[in-house]
């Protein structure tokens, strides 16, 4: 049985060829899958009943299942999606009353090897990479379930996208070509895998790179992110500057604010100094407490003060709006994904 979700037009043409149908049928099927997001072959109403029956003998729309779906009062929807091997990932759809944008937050791996001390995903360790088809299935699942078209995608779910770069790049190409989502509406978030940042820079996609920095100096960063021992902030800075030089794109710096750990005025000053010569915007993320550690979220006052101090450096600073706060937060980082002003 062929799974239609994730196939390119050429791959669908192979199926229609085998069924002795015209290439135009392949184009129709392609549109039904990616733009109209059907759940079933029977919904492909511009194909004849006879042809649909033939197609159903050899193909099906998808092989993933929605295990859990939670809808927040703010409209955020969180899905737990299960692949045929039984593994699950979380995917979140965020929508905003005042904007037409629908942002999908997708996972790139099952588990994560980077093991940041504040992150629920990292605690599980690394299980496996997702294939590009499994990545795009997350967005197709959202579209099929809601009947809506996703307009923006952020790789901020489970996993480290730059440690699964080939599949992530292939998925981004498909988002671009098949889903018709512009590269500028795609954001890849990384903990700072330096060699892969250089690789990404060579790729001339116009997508956005978000860097999870979370610390004003190496000492604090080592406590939060073991990756600092492998690629330190000095090397990271060189890679970020090269990325800006090669792509012309502004980087988004993500900075998790944790009470008394990295939210002091001195931290704001050091952070501003570190970022002074990097073309970037800064997104402050108030920490979402998870069960596994003692970190706390700073007070709103402390957050505003930190923001104010940083803004003096001339950078654009936003505080991330929390989304879906009332739905299960087993995976801490799946809450509060999107920029917004508080
Ligand atoms: N591995 C990549 C992308 C997935 S994590 C990365 O680390 O960038 C996406 C974002 O969620 C990261 O910025 C991460 O630091 C953040 N995050 C993880 N746990 C969080 C928590 N408990 N509260 C708030 N943000 C969290
Ligand atoms: Fe992995 Fe990102 Fe979580 Fe760190 S924050 S453990 S890199 S998913």
């Amino acid at each position: 049985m062929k799974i239609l979700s994730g196939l390119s037009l050429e791959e669908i043409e192979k199926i229609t060829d085998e069924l002795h149908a015209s290439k135009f049928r392949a184009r129709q099927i392609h549109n039904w899958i990616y733009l109209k997001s059907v759940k079933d072959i029977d919904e492909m109403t511009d194909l004849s009943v006879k042809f649909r029956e033939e197609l159903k003998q050899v193909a099906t729309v998808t092989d993933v299942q929605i295990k859990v779906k939670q809808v927040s009062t703010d409209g955020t929807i969180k899905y737990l999606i299960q692949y045929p091997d039984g593994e699950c990932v979380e995917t979140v759809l965020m929508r905003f009353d005042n904007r037409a944008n629908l942002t999908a937050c997708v996972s790139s791996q099952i588990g994560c090897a980077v093991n940041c001390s504040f992150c629920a995903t990292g605690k599980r360790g690394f299980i496996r990479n997702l294939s590009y088809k499994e990545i795009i299935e997350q967005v197709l699942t959202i579209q099929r379930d809601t009947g809506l078209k996703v307009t923006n995608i952020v790789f901020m779910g489970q996993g480290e996208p730059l440690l699964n770069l080939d599949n992530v790049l292939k998925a981004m190409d498909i988002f671009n070509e098949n889903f018709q989502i512009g590269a500028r509406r795609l954001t890849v978030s990384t903990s700072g895998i330096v060699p892969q940042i250089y690789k990404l820079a060579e790729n001339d996609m116009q997508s956005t790179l978000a860097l999870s920095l979370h610390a004003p100096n190496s000492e604090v960063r080592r406590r939060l992110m073991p990756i600092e021992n492998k690629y330190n902030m000095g090397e990271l800075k060189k890679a970020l500057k090269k990325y800006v030089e090669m792509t012309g794109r502004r980087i988004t710096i993500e900075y998790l604010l944790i009470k008394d750990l990295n939210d002091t005025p001195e931290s704001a000053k050091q952070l501003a100094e570190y970022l002074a010569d990097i073309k970037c915007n800064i997104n402050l993320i108030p920490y979402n407490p998870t069960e596994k550690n003692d970190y706390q979220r700073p007070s709103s006052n402390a957050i505003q003060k930190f923001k104010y101090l940083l803004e003096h450096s001339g950078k654009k600073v936003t505080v991330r709006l929390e989304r879906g706060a009332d739905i299960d937060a087993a995976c801490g980082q799946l809450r509060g994904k999107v920029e917004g002003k508080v």
Side-chain angles (χ1 to χ4, degrees):
M1 214 32 127
K2 288 259 178 354
I3 309 299
L4 295 173
S5 282
L7 296 187
S8 64
L9 184 60
E10 293 70 35
E11 287 167 326
I12 298 176
E13 280 172 358
K14 273 199 199 123
I15 299 176
T16 50
D17 282 352
E18 277 165 23
L19 296 174
H20 308 293
S22 72
K23 295 220 183 313
F24 182 64
R25 297 283 166 261
R27 166 59 68 188
Q28 287 172 305
I29 295 169
H30 190 268
N31 282 348
W32 283 114
I33 294 292
Y34 293 104
L35 302 179
K36 299 182 199 153
S37 312
V38 292
K39 291 182 181 151
D40 208 291
I41 289 173
D42 275 329
E43 292 172 49
M44 302 182 181
T45 48
D46 57 1
L47 303 177
S48 72
V49 176
K50 183 170 164 283
F51 180 63
R52 275 184 271 166
E53 289 306 322
E54 287 170 10
L55 186 59
K56 281 196 287 190
Q57 298 302 314
V58 295
T60 180
V61 171
T62 181
D63 58 359
V64 305
Q65 274 181 26
I66 298 174
K67 290 298 276 184
V68 181
K69 175 182 173 184
Q70 290 172 300
V71 183
S72 158
T73 48
D74 67 19
T76 302
I77 308 179
K78 176 164 148 181
Y79 296 93
L80 189 67
I81 296 173
Q82 188 175 49
Y83 297 111
D85 72 348
E87 288 294 349
C88 294
V89 285
E90 283 164 353
T91 304
V92 178
L93 176 69
M94 290 159 293
R95 41 181 153 185
F96 299 89
D97 297 337
N98 55 344
R99 293 192 228 168
N101 290 351
L102 281 180
T103 301
C105 173
V106 301
S107 296
S108 55
Q109 297 181 316
I110 304 209
C112 181
V114 181
N115 198 17
C116 303
S117 62
F118 50 82
C119 175
T121 302
K123 295 282 162 292
R124 216 190 140 188
F126 173 71
I127 313 285
R128 69 171 175 86
N129 278 331
L130 293 178
S131 69
Y132 69 89
K133 287 186 183 178
E134 289 174 319
I135 295 172
I136 68 170
E137 271 293 3
Q138 297 170 46
V139 177
L140 284 170
T141 301
I142 289 177
Q143 294 194 162
R144 282 193 295 263
D145 184 63
T146 59
L148 300 168
K149 180 94 179 46
V150 166
T151 60
N152 297 60
I153 293 173
V154 295
F155 283 83
M156 294 188 183
Q158 295 169 10
E160 169 47 58
L162 296 200
L163 290 179
N164 186 15
L165 190 58
D166 289 347
N167 282 304
V168 166
L169 287 177
K170 182 93 199 268
M172 285 167 73
D173 276 342
I174 297 176
F175 287 141
N176 208 209
E177 283 167 30
N178 296 13
F179 291 70
Q180 298 171 7
I181 300 175
R184 282 172 184 256
R185 292 172 173 267
L186 304 174
T187 299
V188 178
S189 174
T190 179
S191 57
I193 314 295
V194 166
Q196 304 299 78
I197 293 176
Y198 286 108
K199 246 179 140 176
L200 204 58
E202 283 162 20
N203 200 289
D204 49 355
M205 271 191 99
Q206 284 295 297
S207 51
T208 302
L209 180 67
L211 189 273
S212 295
L213 188 64
H214 304 333
N217 58 53
S218 278
E219 199 194 329
V220 173
R221 198 164 193 262
R222 267 197 298 273
R223 286 173 62 185
L224 295 172
M225 308 176 74
I227 194 80
E228 177 69 17
N229 295 314
K230 197 156 182 199
Y231 308 114
N232 64 41
M233 282 174 69
E235 293 172 59
L236 198 53
K237 188 179 204 163
K238 280 190 209 142
L240 296 178
K241 288 177 83 163
K242 189 75 186 171
Y243 183 90
V244 171
E245 186 191 310
M246 286 178 75
T247 62
R249 302 278 291 148
R250 191 178 294 276
I251 291 170
T252 299
I253 298 292
E254 297 172 284
Y255 190 94
L256 203 59
L257 275 173
I258 303 175
K259 188 169 183 241
D260 299 334
L261 198 139
N262 63 1
D263 67 339
T264 60
E266 179 56 26
S267 293
K269 192 169 151 254
Q270 280 185 15
L271 178 62
E273 277 164 16
Y274 178 77
L275 296 175
D277 55 353
I278 301 175
K279 187 176 153 191
C280 64
N281 294 327
I282 304 163
N283 194 205
L284 301 176
I285 315 169
Y287 176 67
N288 275 327
T290 61
E291 286 164 20
K292 309 258 167 76
N293 56 53
D294 299 330
Y295 299 139
Q296 282 166 22
R297 165 189 289 250
S299 67
S300 318
N301 249 345
I303 295 169
Q304 287 310 320
K305 190 167 173 198
F306 195 90
K307 177 174 187 260
Y308 180 81
L309 289 171
L310 258 189
E311 275 169 342
H312 268 262
S313 67
K315 301 276 190 221
K316 187 176 157 226
V317 186
T318 48
V319 178
R320 192 173 281 182
L321 264 187
E322 192 176 36
R323 310 297 300 179
D326 56 335
I327 53 180
D328 175 34
C331 182
Q333 86 276 29
L334 281 174
R335 299 209 261 146
K337 280 291 154 275
V338 167
E339 293 185 3
K341 293 189 179 76
V342 166

